[in-house]
Amino acid sequence: MSDRKNDSNYVPSRFLSLSHDEDGSLILYCARTGAVGVVADGDVDAARSALLPGTVTEGPLGGILADLEQGGFLVSEGVDESALAHEDYIQRYTDKSLELIVMPTEQCNFRCVYCYEAFLRGEMAQDIRDGVKRYVESQSGLEQLTLSWFGGEPLLAGDVVAEITEYCQSYAERTGAAFLCAATTNGYELTPEYAERILPLGLTNFQISLDGVEHDHDERRVGANGEKTFARIVENLRYLHESDHDFEVAIRHNFDPGNLPRVSEFYEMLKSEFGGDDRFVTELQPIGRWGGQNDADLSVCEGRPMLRSLIEAKKLALDAGFRDAHGIDMLRPSGATCYAANPRSFVIGSDGKVYKCTVELDYHDRNIVGQLHGDGTMDLDWRKMALWTETNGMDAGKKCVTCYFSPTCHGAICPKEWMDEDEAECPKSKHTIGDTLKLIRAESLFVKPAGVP
Amino acid sequence: MNNALPCEKLLIGVSGSIHCSQIGGYLAQIRREFAVSIRVIMTRTACDMVNPKTVELHTDSPVIADIWGTPQSKSPHITATRWADLFVVLPASANILGKAAHGIADDVLSTAILASRGPIAFAPAMNPSMWESAAVQRNLQTLKEDGHYIIPPQEITSVTTGDYDSGLGPTPESLMPHLWHVLMKHTKDVYWEEATRTLPMTPAERARQNLPLLAIADKQQASA
Ligand SMILES: Cc1cc2nc3c(=O)[nH]c(=O)nc-3n(C[C@H](O)[C@H](O)[C@H](O)COP(=O)(O)O)c2cc1C
Ligand code: SF4
Ligand code: SF4
């Protein structure tokens, strides 16, 4: 368009990251397009010199340089890449997608040592369930509907989950919208009977925490009456593994200095149970002091050592044959933004209260952004909504304005942190970009995720 | 369905780009999706290009086309700009961009722009040769530096002297996400300090400080 000064000259993208792999090849990442590319040894010198900051390459391009242009690593001189990234990001204000994160109950059958929830409210009443369905029904032109079950422990309200999931799946079928349904569950109630009931209704994605080998897990993820939980969860997972169903289970490992020494034993255990089943993927999260009762007693991993441990543990998971649940997705345009920053994402409490952040819940009035009614209408306070959808990161002088990773993150990795701290911590994938790219490359060699060039 | 539109009070300045012949369509969409109440200021050229009576079909009050305003809105450059939650110039002619960039206040729209306290969103529309001129590009840069927001124009087909020609301007699809963004960012900026004055506290943290729970009524409901 008119803001192109000269179409025949090319310069390196300002959203570029480079990493050298052990075999001499160059791994490239362009945060604006989300492209990850590998330049083989023979082409590395040509690619590197064209990608050196300040280099201008005359077109027309051929060979490796043409490939670089295709991935967005080289751009026409004069193209305003920041404007393109911004234009892309504000599309979240259009109403083509909707994400509902629903708490069918706030009760839980676990008392994990790091939990911050208060278990205040019970099962969602029928009028709010009807409200959720009617709210979905009132949408027009929806291209993507995402329904995420959250709690408390959502499967304690298994009937509510089944009723609304079934409704949303049929809505999506009727209207042609793509449908994705996921649950963050402790896995205890994902029994064979319930799995047989819920999978055909469209709930096929699960995030289930196993905090290490059996005794590590049982020390951290404790039943509400003090009981052990590991054996039953693994038994439920075994049933899924042996079934023919189409699903994805992300096994989340919450780590701390206590269970970290046995992380390799943990992945060996996972490998022996579920290895080679690509329906099982893994994710890792350092345990934090999230505002629960035991915060003062928790020992946590922090800073650089935590990032190192994270990468090491990811390597072990990969060696055991498990894909990272988020790996390449976190590098896609807007891939590292929190759902709270999405104006079309709402957390629906079991009493119909509408929140943005699943950590802040009703611990601050600013997060109670509205109320869903039984007739399917939603009252929203746009003043509060604005706090979550527009962070301070992109304000003049703030760190995100000049950040090479910003099309992935837009300063919206955690809107809450921008409110509580001077600035939000950058995503771990940015801090560890070199290793992250190597892991993504390694992963693409045994299974190629969609979109990897 | 959401019960409330995001913008309570929207002020739209219409200037003399021929793109203003589309203003009825924009106003209908904005009323449906975005703003509860709309007031419109039009330049003299804009009034020659589109009849204000047609515009008034979509607004709750008469079009403001004169610095003396209307009986309902006297000295509109002050009253209308103080009233508005968001001010957008749609379409923005090269002329109004130049005046805004240089603080010229010689008619009601340019004076309102100068008198406005908040950031203004400009949606330029013009022939590519005007857009690419050094003067327009300079003025755009100045406006951005002054804290205003430019909605990047798309390639559109516009009618000029009776011939069809290629032009640059907003489209309904491209306009709306920008309006949302500018409004929400401004709203956030205004509310930020109040909303972040106190830190959130989980029930466990409140208990540690012997503070009452926020949601006592809800707790009773859960145990019922
Ligand atoms: C038929 C016609 C179409 C015009 N279209 C445009 C246009 O799209 N953009 C623009 O900047 N000026 C356009 N102009 C020129 C402006 O109308 C002219 O510069 C005028 O002084 C603008 O005044 P205003 O900014 O006070 O409305 C057009 C003029 C005519 C006669
Ligand atoms: S939070 Fe960090 S990674 Fe995200 S845009 Fe800002 S500076 Fe970049
Ligand atoms: S705003 Fe931050 S704390 Fe809240 S859900 Fe998003 S990432 Fe988590």
Side-chain angles (χ1 to χ4, degrees), chain B residues 15-18 43 45-46 49 93-96 107 125-126 130 160:
Chain B
S15 63
S17 150
I18 193 62
T43 64
T45 316
M49 287 174 168
S93 65
N95 179 52
I96 201 76
D107 66 358
M126 65 198 68
M130 293 172 85
T160 52

Side-chain angles (χ1 to χ4, degrees), chain A residues 338-340 356-360 388 413-417:
Chain A
C338 172
Y339 41 73
K356 290 298 286 172
C357 167
T358 50
V359 171
E360 193 157 301
W388 299 95
I413 171 77
C414 178
K416 174 175 162 56
E417 219 174 310

Side-chain angles (χ1 to χ4, degrees), chain A residues 247-304:
Chain A
F247 63 83
E248 183 173 286
V249 171
I251 296 183
R252 168 165 155 155
H253 179 48
N254 300 296
F255 66 92
D256 60 26
N259 62 11
L260 207 50
R262 283 171 298 285
V263 70
S264 103
E265 205 182 313
F266 171 65
Y267 284 118
E268 277 309 310
M269 182 277 294
L270 282 191
K271 186 176 174 183
S272 70
E273 290 280 355
F274 315 115
D277 186 342
D278 65 9
R279 298 171 298 179
F280 287 81
V281 297
T282 51
E283 63 176 272
L284 282 136
Q285 181 67 38
I287 289 173
R289 297 191 184 95
W290 293 318
Q293 278 182 1
N294 308 314
D295 269 12
D297 306 326
L298 292 180
S299 147
V300 297
C301 301
E302 287 170 314
R304 284 264 136 211

Side-chain angles (χ1 to χ4, degrees), chain B residues 153-174:
Chain B
Q154 312 290 306
E155 282 181 35
I156 51 171
T157 304
S158 73
V159 189
T160 52
T161 51
D163 297 327
Y164 279 96
D165 196 358
S166 93
L168 293 172
T171 63
E173 306 79 58
S174 69

Side-chain angles (χ1 to χ4, degrees), chain A residues 109-111 221-229:
Chain A
N109 50 348
F110 280 24
R111 289 293 179 273
R221 298 190 60 83
V222 188
N225 301 311
E227 66 273 32
K228 296 184 157 118
T229 61

Side-chain angles (χ1 to χ4, degrees), chain A residues 394 399-400 403 405-406 409-413 418 424-427 430:
Chain A
M394 285 296 180
K399 65 174 181 177
C400 308
C403 167
F405 205 69
S406 62
C409 168
H410 301 277
I413 171 77
W418 278 107
E425 179 79 15
C426 297
K430 180 189 170 191

Side-chain angles (χ1 to χ4, degrees), chain B residues 5-136:
Chain B
L5 297 175
C7 184
E8 273 293 313
K9 292 172 274 183
L10 178 67
L11 178 61
I12 302 182
V14 181
S15 63
S17 150
I18 193 62
H19 203 68
C20 70
S21 59
Q22 320 278 325
I23 193 70
Y26 283 112
L27 289 172
Q29 185 179 11
I30 287 170
R31 261 188 98 127
R32 201 169 52 238
E33 299 173 12
F34 189 72
V36 181
S37 184
I38 303 173
R39 286 191 195 171
V40 173
I41 298 177
M42 292 175 75
T43 64
R44 189 186 306 176
T45 316
C47 290
D48 288 340
M49 287 174 168
V50 51
N51 192 328
K53 290 200 176 75
T54 325
V55 173
E56 282 165 5
L57 293 173
H58 302 277
T59 62
D60 307 311
S61 51
V63 161
I64 303 160
D66 186 274
I67 191 74
W68 294 99
T70 63
Q72 292 90 343
S73 184
K74 292 174 186 156
S75 299
H77 61 291
I78 302 294
T79 50
T81 50
R82 296 294 175 275
W83 167 87
D85 295 323
L86 180 68
F87 187 2
V88 51
V89 181
L90 168 74
S93 65
N95 179 52
I96 201 76
L97 294 175
K99 289 205 273 188
H102 290 89
I104 294 170
D106 66 353
D107 66 358
V108 60
L109 180 56
S110 55
T111 310
I113 290 171
L114 198 59
S116 177
R117 283 183 176 150
I120 301 170
F122 290 89
M126 65 198 68
N127 188 280
S129 54
M130 293 172 85
W131 173 258
E132 282 160 13
S133 71
V136 167

Side-chain angles (χ1 to χ4, degrees), chain A residues 129-304:
Chain A
R129 299 184 213 177
D130 293 340
V132 174
K133 291 188 264 181
R134 289 180 179 134
Y135 185 73
V136 169
E137 199 61 52
S138 72
Q139 307 294 312
S140 63
L142 215 55
E143 291 173 8
Q144 170 74 47
L145 173 63
T146 305
L147 175 65
S148 300
W149 292 103
F150 194 78
E153 167 47 43
L155 301 191
L156 287 182
D159 290 341
V160 180
V161 171
E163 179 185 329
I164 295 176
T165 303
E166 184 173 25
Y167 189 89
C168 288
Q169 189 185 40
S170 81
Y171 168 87
E173 271 170 16
R174 256 187 294 125
T175 61
F179 180 53
L180 177 73
C181 186
T184 302
T185 164
N186 58 36
Y188 203 74
E189 295 300 332
L190 189 56
T191 58
E193 303 73 54
Y194 193 71
E196 287 303 333
R197 180 180 173 200
I198 202 69
L199 284 161
L201 300 182
L203 172 51
T204 52
N205 285 56
F206 304 92
Q207 187 210 67
I208 296 173
S209 289
L210 285 178
D211 284 359
V213 293
E214 186 158 5
H215 70 272
D216 281 330
H217 174 94
D218 283 337
E219 274 173 14
R220 288 162 183 76
R221 298 190 60 83
V222 188
N225 301 311
E227 66 273 32
K228 296 184 157 118
T229 61
F230 182 90
R232 177 161 161 174
I233 299 168
V234 171
E235 201 179 302
N236 288 341
L237 292 177
R238 271 187 206 130
Y239 178 79
L240 288 177
H241 172 53
E242 280 153 22
S243 80
D244 295 328
H245 289 295
D246 203 6
F247 63 83
E248 183 173 286
V249 171
I251 296 183
R252 168 165 155 155
H253 179 48
N254 300 296
F255 66 92
D256 60 26
N259 62 11
L260 207 50
R262 283 171 298 285
V263 70
S264 103
E265 205 182 313
F266 171 65
Y267 284 118
E268 277 309 310
M269 182 277 294
L270 282 191
K271 186 176 174 183
S272 70
E273 290 280 355
F274 315 115
D277 186 342
D278 65 9
R279 298 171 298 179
F280 287 81
V281 297
T282 51
E283 63 176 272
L284 282 136
Q285 181 67 38
I287 289 173
R289 297 191 184 95
W290 293 318
Q293 278 182 1
N294 308 314
D295 269 12
D297 306 326
L298 292 180
S299 147
V300 297
C301 301
E302 287 170 314
R304 284 264 136 211

